[in-house]
Structures are given as C-alpha cells and as structure tokens.
Amino acid sequence: MSHLAQPDTTIVAPPRARYPRSLKGKVALVVGGAGAIGAATSRMLAAAGATIAVTHLDSERDTQAAKALIAELGDGHAAFIADVADTPSLIALRDAIQARYGRLDILVNAAGYTKPVPHADLDALTDELIDRMLQVNWRGQFATIRTFAPMLKASGDGLVVSISSIAAFTAVGSSIAYCAAKAGIDVMTKALARVLAPEVRVLAVSPGVVDTEFVPGRGADFNDKVSASTPLKRIGAADDIAAAITACATMLGYSTGHIVQVDGGRAL
C-alpha cells in the first residue's frame, strides 16, 4: 500500500541579526541635515556605511552648511532643498531620491523650529505661533513619513527615527506649544510603529538640553545651571543624540514604537 508524502511542517526561524548591523548599501535621508544634530547624525551614519542625503531650507546659511557637510562626507552623498511645512517640496524630494538612489532605508526627522515663550505669558503664545510650531514640529514630521513610507516599506528593512524631547512629558520646554508638538511626536511614533510594521521600524530619540543654537537666547549661564541640576553633570552634545540615532539603526533591530531618552538623567 502506498503512502502519500506528508508536508514538511517544520518552522524555520529567521537568522538572528548580527550586531552592530552594517549600514553598507543603505540610503539614509536626514531631514534637517544642515542643523547641528542632523549634521552629526549624517557623519555617524556615513561612518557606519550608509549613503547620506540631507535636506536644507532654501536660505544662504542652510545651503552653505549643507554644502560644507556634503563636501566633508565625500562622493555619493548629496543635499536637497526641502521644507517639511511644504508637502509638495517633500513629494519633489521623494522623486529626486528615487531617481538618484532608487531606494530609501532610513529616514531621520531632524528638522525643527522653536521660539521661547514663557509658559505663564499666555497672550504671547499667539495663534500664529502655535500654528507654526505645530506645522513644523509635528505636521511636518508626519508629512515626511507619509511621503516616504512607500519607499521605506519597499526596503523591507526600513527605519524612521524622529527627534522628540523630554519636554513631551516633563512639560518644561521653550514654550507650551513646543512641548505639545513633541508629545505629538511620541504618540505618532507609537501609532505608526503599529501600522508600518513589519517592514518599517519607527522610533524616536528624546533629548534633554543639548548644546546647540536651536533655542535662541540660551547662553553659557543657562547651560551651566542645567548641567549642575543634571545627574551626569553636563548637558548633551549633538554627538550624543547622533549616537542614539545611529544605535537605532545598528543596534536596536528588535525595537519599534519606543522613545529613547538621551538626557543625562535630567528627567529623573
């Protein structure tokens, strides 16, 4: 009597990732790459093997900063003009990235804007300023992810890292609107991690005070005061944040939907 062959039902587990993961052959887009954190991130991702595309605003200062960064990184890397508050410019950017590289593996949302407004001065936080704060710091991040989601999903191993802030949960920041926008990034990170999985991981990096010119008017006295009240006794550097973003790409391969704090313990 003949016997029919039984189907092989053995489940073969996928190979474990080897860490640190190589970024060789990967294309990373750093939105806001002309800024301090964006530039530091571009350098680290390039050192890990990625090809870097950065965006910058159409201003002389940002254009020169982006050109200098690309000259430092060398051949194969490129800079593009785009504004996260202008979705048509993001769509044009996507077409340019597709035409030049044919793929996108990593998206870093490093563009941002703020203007200090004392929290108690409710009248100073005008409708126009609130709208601008949310337009750049929340809507712009979402619009960028929405625009590039198809390319990231096509990668099969896509990654989004957005810059948040501990202001999202401490409610201590340059303005109430800024805190609210960063809280929105944390919520967006968790929601998009669910809907873009498994092809795309979505993470956020949440700094404390960082030694950049991002917040106008903050000087050495402010930095010294914050350093004294921070457990690690210093404020963050752009490289600290860039290292966390790079770790998301090279070390945190089984993480998605999480907010990575890089604050020297300030939020404790």
Short mmCIF file of all heavy atoms in Angstrom, two decimals, residues 106-172:
data_model
loop_
_atom_site.label_atom_id
_atom_site.label_comp_id
_atom_site.label_asym_id
_atom_site.label_seq_id
_atom_site.Cartn_x
_atom_site.Cartn_y
_atom_site.Cartn_z
N ILE A 106 16.48 54.49 5.56
CA ILE A 106 16.45 55.16 6.87
C ILE A 106 15.98 56.60 6.66
O ILE A 106 16.49 57.31 5.79
CB ILE A 106 17.85 55.16 7.52
CG1 ILE A 106 18.34 53.73 7.75
CG2 ILE A 106 17.83 55.94 8.84
CD1 ILE A 106 19.82 53.65 8.12
N LEU A 107 15.03 57.00 7.48
CA LEU A 107 14.56 58.39 7.48
C LEU A 107 14.75 58.96 8.87
O LEU A 107 14.23 58.41 9.85
CB LEU A 107 13.07 58.46 7.10
CG LEU A 107 12.38 59.81 7.30
CD1 LEU A 107 13.00 60.89 6.42
CD2 LEU A 107 10.88 59.69 7.03
N VAL A 108 15.50 60.05 8.96
CA VAL A 108 15.72 60.74 10.24
C VAL A 108 15.03 62.09 10.17
O VAL A 108 15.37 62.94 9.35
CB VAL A 108 17.22 60.92 10.54
CG1 VAL A 108 17.40 61.67 11.87
CG2 VAL A 108 17.92 59.57 10.58
N ASN A 109 14.05 62.28 11.05
CA ASN A 109 13.32 63.55 11.13
C ASN A 109 14.02 64.47 12.12
O ASN A 109 13.74 64.45 13.31
CB ASN A 109 11.88 63.30 11.60
CG ASN A 109 10.94 63.05 10.44
OD1 ASN A 109 11.03 63.66 9.40
ND2 ASN A 109 10.01 62.12 10.65
N ALA A 110 14.94 65.29 11.61
CA ALA A 110 15.72 66.18 12.48
C ALA A 110 15.38 67.65 12.28
O ALA A 110 16.01 68.51 12.88
CB ALA A 110 17.22 65.95 12.27
N ALA A 111 14.40 67.95 11.44
CA ALA A 111 14.01 69.34 11.23
C ALA A 111 13.15 69.81 12.41
O ALA A 111 12.35 69.04 12.95
CB ALA A 111 13.23 69.49 9.93
N GLY A 112 13.32 71.05 12.80
CA GLY A 112 12.53 71.56 13.90
C GLY A 112 12.62 73.07 13.99
O GLY A 112 13.45 73.72 13.34
N TYR A 113 11.76 73.64 14.82
CA TYR A 113 11.69 75.09 14.99
C TYR A 113 11.15 75.39 16.37
O TYR A 113 10.29 74.67 16.88
CB TYR A 113 10.76 75.70 13.94
CG TYR A 113 10.26 77.08 14.28
CD1 TYR A 113 11.07 78.21 14.12
CD2 TYR A 113 8.97 77.28 14.79
CE1 TYR A 113 10.61 79.47 14.45
CE2 TYR A 113 8.50 78.54 15.11
CZ TYR A 113 9.33 79.63 14.93
OH TYR A 113 8.88 80.89 15.26
N THR A 114 11.68 76.44 17.00
CA THR A 114 11.09 76.90 18.24
C THR A 114 11.37 78.38 18.45
O THR A 114 12.25 78.96 17.81
CB THR A 114 11.60 76.09 19.46
OG1 THR A 114 10.73 76.32 20.56
CG2 THR A 114 13.03 76.48 19.83
N LYS A 115 10.59 78.95 19.33
CA LYS A 115 10.77 80.33 19.77
C LYS A 115 10.39 80.38 21.24
O LYS A 115 9.28 79.98 21.60
CB LYS A 115 9.87 81.28 18.97
CG LYS A 115 10.00 82.74 19.38
CD LYS A 115 9.09 83.63 18.54
CE LYS A 115 9.21 85.09 18.98
NZ LYS A 115 8.31 85.98 18.17
N PRO A 116 11.30 80.82 22.11
CA PRO A 116 11.00 80.79 23.54
C PRO A 116 9.82 81.71 23.90
O PRO A 116 9.78 82.87 23.49
CB PRO A 116 12.29 81.30 24.19
CG PRO A 116 13.36 81.08 23.16
CD PRO A 116 12.68 81.26 21.84
N VAL A 117 8.89 81.17 24.65
CA VAL A 117 7.75 81.93 25.18
C VAL A 117 7.54 81.48 26.62
O VAL A 117 7.28 80.29 26.85
CB VAL A 117 6.46 81.69 24.37
CG1 VAL A 117 5.30 82.46 24.99
CG2 VAL A 117 6.64 82.08 22.92
N PRO A 118 7.65 82.37 27.60
CA PRO A 118 7.41 81.97 28.99
C PRO A 118 6.03 81.31 29.14
O PRO A 118 5.03 81.81 28.62
CB PRO A 118 7.48 83.30 29.76
CG PRO A 118 8.33 84.19 28.90
CD PRO A 118 8.00 83.80 27.49
N HIS A 119 5.99 80.20 29.83
CA HIS A 119 4.74 79.44 29.93
C HIS A 119 3.63 80.25 30.58
O HIS A 119 2.45 80.05 30.26
CB HIS A 119 4.98 78.15 30.72
CG HIS A 119 5.74 77.12 29.95
ND1 HIS A 119 5.62 75.77 30.20
CD2 HIS A 119 6.63 77.22 28.93
CE1 HIS A 119 6.41 75.09 29.38
NE2 HIS A 119 7.04 75.96 28.61
N ALA A 120 3.98 81.16 31.47
CA ALA A 120 2.96 81.94 32.16
C ALA A 120 2.40 83.08 31.32
O ALA A 120 1.35 83.65 31.66
CB ALA A 120 3.52 82.51 33.46
N ASP A 121 3.08 83.40 30.22
CA ASP A 121 2.64 84.51 29.36
C ASP A 121 1.73 83.95 28.28
O ASP A 121 2.13 83.73 27.13
CB ASP A 121 3.85 85.21 28.76
CG ASP A 121 3.49 86.53 28.08
OD1 ASP A 121 2.27 86.80 27.94
OD2 ASP A 121 4.41 87.26 27.69
N LEU A 122 0.48 83.72 28.63
CA LEU A 122 -0.46 83.08 27.71
C LEU A 122 -0.71 83.92 26.47
O LEU A 122 -0.86 83.39 25.37
CB LEU A 122 -1.78 82.79 28.43
CG LEU A 122 -1.71 81.94 29.71
CD1 LEU A 122 -3.13 81.60 30.18
CD2 LEU A 122 -0.89 80.69 29.50
N ASP A 123 -0.74 85.23 26.63
CA ASP A 123 -1.03 86.10 25.49
C ASP A 123 0.10 86.09 24.46
O ASP A 123 -0.13 86.31 23.27
CB ASP A 123 -1.28 87.54 25.96
CG ASP A 123 -2.59 87.67 26.73
OD1 ASP A 123 -3.49 86.85 26.48
OD2 ASP A 123 -2.68 88.56 27.58
N ALA A 124 1.33 85.83 24.91
CA ALA A 124 2.46 85.83 23.98
C ALA A 124 2.45 84.61 23.07
O ALA A 124 3.05 84.63 21.99
CB ALA A 124 3.78 85.89 24.76
N LEU A 125 1.77 83.55 23.50
CA LEU A 125 1.68 82.35 22.66
C LEU A 125 0.48 82.53 21.72
O LEU A 125 -0.62 82.04 21.97
CB LEU A 125 1.52 81.10 23.53
CG LEU A 125 1.74 79.76 22.83
CD1 LEU A 125 3.12 79.67 22.20
CD2 LEU A 125 1.56 78.61 23.80
N THR A 126 0.71 83.25 20.65
CA THR A 126 -0.36 83.63 19.73
C THR A 126 -0.80 82.46 18.87
O THR A 126 -0.11 81.45 18.75
CB THR A 126 0.12 84.76 18.81
OG1 THR A 126 1.22 84.26 18.00
CG2 THR A 126 0.61 85.96 19.61
N ASP A 127 -1.96 82.61 18.25
CA ASP A 127 -2.46 81.58 17.35
C ASP A 127 -1.46 81.31 16.23
O ASP A 127 -1.23 80.15 15.85
CB ASP A 127 -3.80 82.01 16.74
CG ASP A 127 -4.92 82.04 17.75
OD1 ASP A 127 -4.72 81.55 18.89
OD2 ASP A 127 -6.01 82.55 17.42
N GLU A 128 -0.86 82.37 15.70
CA GLU A 128 0.08 82.22 14.58
C GLU A 128 1.30 81.41 15.01
O GLU A 128 1.79 80.55 14.27
CB GLU A 128 0.50 83.60 14.06
CG GLU A 128 -0.60 84.38 13.36
CD GLU A 128 -1.59 85.01 14.33
OE1 GLU A 128 -1.29 85.10 15.55
OE2 GLU A 128 -2.69 85.40 13.87
N LEU A 129 1.80 81.70 16.22
CA LEU A 129 2.98 80.99 16.70
C LEU A 129 2.64 79.53 16.99
O LEU A 129 3.43 78.62 16.68
CB LEU A 129 3.54 81.66 17.95
CG LEU A 129 4.82 81.07 18.53
CD1 LEU A 129 5.92 80.98 17.46
CD2 LEU A 129 5.29 81.89 19.72
N ILE A 130 1.48 79.28 17.57
CA ILE A 130 1.05 77.90 17.82
C ILE A 130 0.97 77.13 16.51
O ILE A 130 1.47 76.00 16.40
CB ILE A 130 -0.31 77.88 18.54
CG1 ILE A 130 -0.18 78.42 19.96
CG2 ILE A 130 -0.88 76.45 18.57
CD1 ILE A 130 -1.52 78.66 20.64
N ASP A 131 0.34 77.73 15.51
CA ASP A 131 0.19 77.06 14.22
C ASP A 131 1.55 76.75 13.60
O ASP A 131 1.76 75.65 13.07
CB ASP A 131 -0.65 77.91 13.27
CG ASP A 131 -2.12 77.99 13.67
OD1 ASP A 131 -2.53 77.19 14.54
OD2 ASP A 131 -2.83 78.84 13.12
N ARG A 132 2.46 77.71 13.67
CA ARG A 132 3.79 77.50 13.09
C ARG A 132 4.55 76.40 13.83
O ARG A 132 5.22 75.56 13.22
CB ARG A 132 4.58 78.80 13.12
CG ARG A 132 5.98 78.71 12.52
CD ARG A 132 5.91 78.36 11.04
NE ARG A 132 7.23 78.32 10.43
CZ ARG A 132 7.51 77.80 9.23
NH1 ARG A 132 6.52 77.27 8.52
NH2 ARG A 132 8.72 77.81 8.75
N MET A 133 4.44 76.39 15.16
CA MET A 133 5.12 75.39 15.96
C MET A 133 4.65 73.98 15.62
O MET A 133 5.44 73.06 15.45
CB MET A 133 4.89 75.68 17.44
CG MET A 133 5.93 75.09 18.37
SD MET A 133 7.48 76.00 18.34
CE MET A 133 6.98 77.53 19.14
N LEU A 134 3.33 73.82 15.51
CA LEU A 134 2.78 72.51 15.19
C LEU A 134 3.01 72.14 13.73
O LEU A 134 3.21 70.97 13.39
CB LEU A 134 1.29 72.47 15.53
CG LEU A 134 0.96 72.59 17.02
CD1 LEU A 134 -0.54 72.66 17.22
CD2 LEU A 134 1.54 71.43 17.81
N GLN A 135 2.98 73.14 12.87
CA GLN A 135 3.18 72.90 11.44
C GLN A 135 4.55 72.31 11.16
O GLN A 135 4.69 71.34 10.40
CB GLN A 135 3.02 74.22 10.68
CG GLN A 135 3.16 74.12 9.17
CD GLN A 135 3.10 75.48 8.51
OE1 GLN A 135 3.83 76.40 8.89
NE2 GLN A 135 2.20 75.64 7.55
N VAL A 136 5.57 72.87 11.78
CA VAL A 136 6.94 72.40 11.53
C VAL A 136 7.27 71.18 12.37
O VAL A 136 7.80 70.19 11.87
CB VAL A 136 7.96 73.54 11.81
CG1 VAL A 136 9.40 73.01 11.68
CG2 VAL A 136 7.73 74.70 10.86
N ASN A 137 6.95 71.23 13.67
CA ASN A 137 7.44 70.21 14.60
C ASN A 137 6.58 68.96 14.69
O ASN A 137 7.06 67.93 15.19
CB ASN A 137 7.57 70.81 16.01
CG ASN A 137 8.65 71.86 16.08
OD1 ASN A 137 9.81 71.59 15.79
ND2 ASN A 137 8.27 73.08 16.42
N TRP A 138 5.32 69.02 14.24
CA TRP A 138 4.51 67.81 14.24
C TRP A 138 4.00 67.47 12.85
O TRP A 138 4.33 66.42 12.31
CB TRP A 138 3.32 67.89 15.21
CG TRP A 138 2.71 66.51 15.34
CD1 TRP A 138 3.10 65.53 16.18
CD2 TRP A 138 1.66 65.96 14.52
NE1 TRP A 138 2.36 64.37 15.95
CE2 TRP A 138 1.47 64.61 14.94
CE3 TRP A 138 0.88 66.45 13.48
CZ2 TRP A 138 0.51 63.78 14.36
CZ3 TRP A 138 -0.08 65.61 12.90
CH2 TRP A 138 -0.26 64.29 13.34
N ARG A 139 3.23 68.38 12.26
CA ARG A 139 2.67 68.06 10.95
C ARG A 139 3.77 67.76 9.94
O ARG A 139 3.65 66.83 9.13
CB ARG A 139 1.81 69.21 10.43
CG ARG A 139 0.92 68.82 9.25
CD ARG A 139 0.36 70.01 8.52
NE ARG A 139 1.36 70.64 7.65
CZ ARG A 139 1.17 71.79 7.01
NH1 ARG A 139 0.05 72.46 7.18
NH2 ARG A 139 2.11 72.28 6.22
N GLY A 140 4.85 68.53 10.01
CA GLY A 140 5.94 68.32 9.06
C GLY A 140 6.60 66.96 9.20
O GLY A 140 6.96 66.33 8.20
N GLN A 141 6.74 66.48 10.45
CA GLN A 141 7.32 65.16 10.65
C GLN A 141 6.39 64.07 10.10
O GLN A 141 6.83 63.12 9.44
CB GLN A 141 7.58 64.90 12.14
CG GLN A 141 8.21 66.05 12.90
CD GLN A 141 9.46 66.58 12.25
OE1 GLN A 141 10.36 65.84 11.90
NE2 GLN A 141 9.52 67.90 12.08
N PHE A 142 5.10 64.22 10.39
CA PHE A 142 4.14 63.24 9.88
C PHE A 142 4.10 63.25 8.36
O PHE A 142 4.10 62.20 7.71
CB PHE A 142 2.74 63.51 10.43
CG PHE A 142 1.70 62.57 9.90
CD1 PHE A 142 1.54 61.30 10.45
CD2 PHE A 142 0.90 62.91 8.82
CE1 PHE A 142 0.60 60.41 9.95
CE2 PHE A 142 -0.04 62.03 8.31
CZ PHE A 142 -0.19 60.78 8.87
N ALA A 143 4.08 64.45 7.77
CA ALA A 143 4.01 64.56 6.31
C ALA A 143 5.24 63.93 5.66
O ALA A 143 5.14 63.31 4.59
CB ALA A 143 3.89 66.02 5.89
N THR A 144 6.39 64.06 6.30
CA THR A 144 7.61 63.47 5.76
C THR A 144 7.52 61.94 5.79
O THR A 144 7.85 61.26 4.81
CB THR A 144 8.83 63.95 6.55
OG1 THR A 144 8.87 65.38 6.53
CG2 THR A 144 10.11 63.41 5.94
N ILE A 145 7.06 61.40 6.91
CA ILE A 145 6.91 59.94 7.00
C ILE A 145 5.87 59.45 6.00
O ILE A 145 6.09 58.44 5.30
CB ILE A 145 6.52 59.53 8.43
CG1 ILE A 145 7.63 59.92 9.41
CG2 ILE A 145 6.25 58.02 8.50
CD1 ILE A 145 7.22 59.77 10.87
N ARG A 146 4.75 60.16 5.91
CA ARG A 146 3.70 59.78 4.96
C ARG A 146 4.24 59.76 3.53
O ARG A 146 3.95 58.83 2.75
CB ARG A 146 2.56 60.78 5.06
CG ARG A 146 1.39 60.53 4.11
CD ARG A 146 0.34 61.62 4.29
NE ARG A 146 0.87 62.94 3.97
CZ ARG A 146 0.35 64.09 4.41
NH1 ARG A 146 -0.70 64.09 5.20
NH2 ARG A 146 0.90 65.23 4.06
N THR A 147 5.05 60.74 3.20
CA THR A 147 5.59 60.84 1.84
C THR A 147 6.55 59.70 1.52
O THR A 147 6.52 59.15 0.40
CB THR A 147 6.31 62.19 1.66
OG1 THR A 147 5.37 63.26 1.89
CG2 THR A 147 6.90 62.32 0.27
N PHE A 148 7.38 59.32 2.48
CA PHE A 148 8.43 58.34 2.21
C PHE A 148 8.07 56.92 2.65
O PHE A 148 8.86 55.99 2.44
CB PHE A 148 9.75 58.78 2.86
CG PHE A 148 10.41 59.90 2.12
CD1 PHE A 148 10.22 61.20 2.51
CD2 PHE A 148 11.18 59.63 1.01
CE1 PHE A 148 10.81 62.25 1.82
CE2 PHE A 148 11.77 60.67 0.30
CZ PHE A 148 11.60 61.99 0.70
N ALA A 149 6.89 56.73 3.25
CA ALA A 149 6.50 55.40 3.71
C ALA A 149 6.56 54.34 2.61
O ALA A 149 7.04 53.22 2.86
CB ALA A 149 5.12 55.44 4.35
N PRO A 150 6.08 54.62 1.38
CA PRO A 150 6.16 53.58 0.35
C PRO A 150 7.59 53.14 0.06
O PRO A 150 7.84 51.93 -0.12
CB PRO A 150 5.52 54.25 -0.87
CG PRO A 150 4.59 55.28 -0.30
CD PRO A 150 5.31 55.80 0.91
N MET A 151 8.53 54.08 0.01
CA MET A 151 9.92 53.71 -0.25
C MET A 151 10.52 52.92 0.91
O MET A 151 11.26 51.95 0.72
CB MET A 151 10.77 54.96 -0.52
CG MET A 151 10.45 55.67 -1.82
SD MET A 151 11.59 57.04 -2.16
CE MET A 151 13.11 56.13 -2.55
N LEU A 152 10.19 53.33 2.13
CA LEU A 152 10.70 52.63 3.30
C LEU A 152 10.14 51.22 3.39
O LEU A 152 10.85 50.26 3.74
CB LEU A 152 10.36 53.42 4.57
CG LEU A 152 11.09 54.76 4.73
CD1 LEU A 152 10.43 55.59 5.82
CD2 LEU A 152 12.57 54.54 5.05
N LYS A 153 8.85 51.04 3.06
CA LYS A 153 8.25 49.71 3.07
C LYS A 153 8.86 48.83 1.98
O LYS A 153 9.08 47.64 2.18
CB LYS A 153 6.74 49.81 2.91
CG LYS A 153 6.04 50.47 4.09
CD LYS A 153 4.54 50.29 4.07
CE LYS A 153 4.17 48.94 4.64
NZ LYS A 153 2.72 48.80 4.91
N ALA A 154 9.16 49.45 0.85
CA ALA A 154 9.77 48.69 -0.25
C ALA A 154 11.15 48.19 0.13
O ALA A 154 11.61 47.15 -0.37
CB ALA A 154 9.84 49.55 -1.51
N SER A 155 11.82 48.89 1.02
CA SER A 155 13.13 48.45 1.50
C SER A 155 13.03 47.11 2.20
O SER A 155 13.93 46.28 2.13
CB SER A 155 13.72 49.50 2.46
OG SER A 155 14.73 48.96 3.26
N GLY A 156 11.91 46.90 2.91
CA GLY A 156 11.74 45.67 3.67
C GLY A 156 12.42 45.71 5.02
O GLY A 156 12.19 44.84 5.88
N ASP A 157 13.30 46.69 5.22
CA ASP A 157 14.02 46.85 6.48
C ASP A 157 14.15 48.34 6.75
O ASP A 157 15.23 48.85 7.04
CB ASP A 157 15.40 46.19 6.39
CG ASP A 157 16.16 46.23 7.71
OD1 ASP A 157 15.51 46.23 8.77
OD2 ASP A 157 17.41 46.25 7.67
N GLY A 158 13.02 49.04 6.67
CA GLY A 158 13.03 50.48 6.81
C GLY A 158 13.06 50.92 8.26
O GLY A 158 12.71 50.18 9.18
N LEU A 159 13.51 52.15 8.46
CA LEU A 159 13.60 52.71 9.80
C LEU A 159 13.27 54.20 9.75
O LEU A 159 13.78 54.93 8.89
CB LEU A 159 15.01 52.53 10.37
CG LEU A 159 15.32 53.28 11.68
CD1 LEU A 159 14.49 52.73 12.84
CD2 LEU A 159 16.81 53.20 12.00
N VAL A 160 12.42 54.63 10.68
CA VAL A 160 12.16 56.06 10.90
C VAL A 160 12.63 56.39 12.31
O VAL A 160 12.30 55.69 13.26
CB VAL A 160 10.67 56.39 10.78
CG1 VAL A 160 10.42 57.86 11.14
CG2 VAL A 160 10.15 56.09 9.38
N VAL A 161 13.41 57.46 12.43
CA VAL A 161 13.77 57.98 13.75
C VAL A 161 13.43 59.47 13.77
O VAL A 161 13.95 60.24 12.96
CB VAL A 161 15.26 57.80 14.08
CG1 VAL A 161 15.53 58.28 15.51
CG2 VAL A 161 15.70 56.36 13.91
N SER A 162 12.53 59.86 14.67
CA SER A 162 12.16 61.26 14.81
C SER A 162 12.78 61.84 16.08
O SER A 162 12.96 61.12 17.08
CB SER A 162 10.63 61.41 14.88
OG SER A 162 10.04 60.96 13.67
N ILE A 163 13.09 63.13 16.04
CA ILE A 163 13.64 63.79 17.21
C ILE A 163 12.49 64.32 18.06
O ILE A 163 11.74 65.19 17.63
CB ILE A 163 14.58 64.95 16.84
CG1 ILE A 163 15.68 64.47 15.89
CG2 ILE A 163 15.19 65.56 18.11
CD1 ILE A 163 16.60 63.44 16.48
N SER A 164 12.36 63.78 19.26
CA SER A 164 11.36 64.26 20.20
C SER A 164 12.07 65.12 21.24
O SER A 164 13.05 65.80 20.94
CB SER A 164 10.63 63.08 20.85
OG SER A 164 9.62 63.53 21.71
N SER A 165 11.60 65.10 22.47
CA SER A 165 12.20 65.86 23.56
C SER A 165 11.59 65.39 24.86
O SER A 165 10.41 65.00 24.89
CB SER A 165 11.95 67.36 23.38
OG SER A 165 12.31 68.08 24.55
N ILE A 166 12.36 65.47 25.95
CA ILE A 166 11.76 65.15 27.24
C ILE A 166 10.70 66.18 27.62
O ILE A 166 9.89 65.93 28.52
CB ILE A 166 12.82 65.01 28.35
CG1 ILE A 166 13.56 66.33 28.58
CG2 ILE A 166 13.78 63.87 28.05
CD1 ILE A 166 14.46 66.31 29.82
N ALA A 167 10.68 67.31 26.91
CA ALA A 167 9.61 68.29 27.11
C ALA A 167 8.24 67.69 26.84
O ALA A 167 7.22 68.19 27.33
CB ALA A 167 9.82 69.51 26.21
N ALA A 168 8.19 66.59 26.07
CA ALA A 168 6.92 65.93 25.75
C ALA A 168 6.22 65.42 26.99
O ALA A 168 4.98 65.35 27.01
CB ALA A 168 7.16 64.78 24.78
N PHE A 169 6.98 65.06 28.04
CA PHE A 169 6.33 64.54 29.24
C PHE A 169 6.68 65.33 30.50
O PHE A 169 5.98 65.22 31.50
CB PHE A 169 6.65 63.05 29.43
CG PHE A 169 8.11 62.73 29.58
CD1 PHE A 169 8.72 62.74 30.81
CD2 PHE A 169 8.87 62.42 28.46
CE1 PHE A 169 10.07 62.44 30.95
CE2 PHE A 169 10.23 62.12 28.58
CZ PHE A 169 10.83 62.12 29.83
N THR A 170 7.73 66.15 30.46
CA THR A 170 8.01 67.00 31.62
C THR A 170 7.22 68.30 31.55
O THR A 170 7.02 68.96 32.58
CB THR A 170 9.50 67.36 31.71
OG1 THR A 170 9.87 68.15 30.56
CG2 THR A 170 10.37 66.09 31.77
N ALA A 171 6.78 68.68 30.33
CA ALA A 171 6.10 69.96 30.10
C ALA A 171 6.98 71.14 30.46
O ALA A 171 6.49 72.23 30.73
CB ALA A 171 4.77 70.03 30.84
N VAL A 172 8.30 70.94 30.44
CA VAL A 172 9.27 72.01 30.63
C VAL A 172 10.02 72.18 29.32
O VAL A 172 10.77 71.28 28.92
CB VAL A 172 10.26 71.70 31.78
CG1 VAL A 172 11.29 72.82 31.91
CG2 VAL A 172 9.51 71.49 33.09
#
